[in-house]
Amino acid sequence: MTSFPEIIVNVDELISVNRYEVDEDNAHIELNSQDIDSLDDVEFGKLVRVCPAALYKVDSDGHKSFDYAGCLECGTCRIACEGTIVSKWEQPGPTMGVQYRFG
Ligand code: SF4
């Protein structure tokens, strides 16, 4: 029987070395409502589960939050919920957004 070495990856640690230039004047992702708590629980729950940067959150009181700062521009939330609660998704402008340090 072959055994494989255990490999532990700390995603938070890897993500923290990226650099971000946040465009405060033009959010590249927008949701259907500024009142995030009013958004559909099931659809928002999808975003909580799929975003690799954990930018969609529900706290212990059930309040939802989202902040596009720190976005990895993977497009997963667009695939999951464009047309339901993601109303805008576009690449950040030139010189804005994520700069990967490791690939
Ligand atoms: S594009 Fe990717 S990293 Fe950015 S908010 Fe959507 S799922 Fe999260």
Side-chain angles (χ1 to χ4, degrees), residues 18-76:
N18 294 329
R19 293 189 55 170
Y20 302 90
E21 200 65 48
V22 179
D23 189 344
E24 304 282 356
D25 299 324
N26 182 31
H28 72 285
I29 298 172
E30 291 178 356
L31 304 178
N32 274 359
S33 174
Q34 301 269 337
D35 178 9
I36 295 181
D37 278 332
S38 72
L39 294 170
D40 182 87
D41 290 343
V42 173
E43 288 299 299
F44 198 85
K46 290 181 191 174
L47 300 176
V48 171
R49 290 192 300 278
V50 301
C51 177
L55 301 179
Y56 298 89
K57 295 183 169 76
V58 179
D59 70 17
S60 58
D61 293 327
H63 295 297
K64 304 177 183 91
S65 63
F66 170 65
D67 186 350
Y68 63 91
C71 175
L72 301 173
E73 302 168 30
C74 66
T76 307

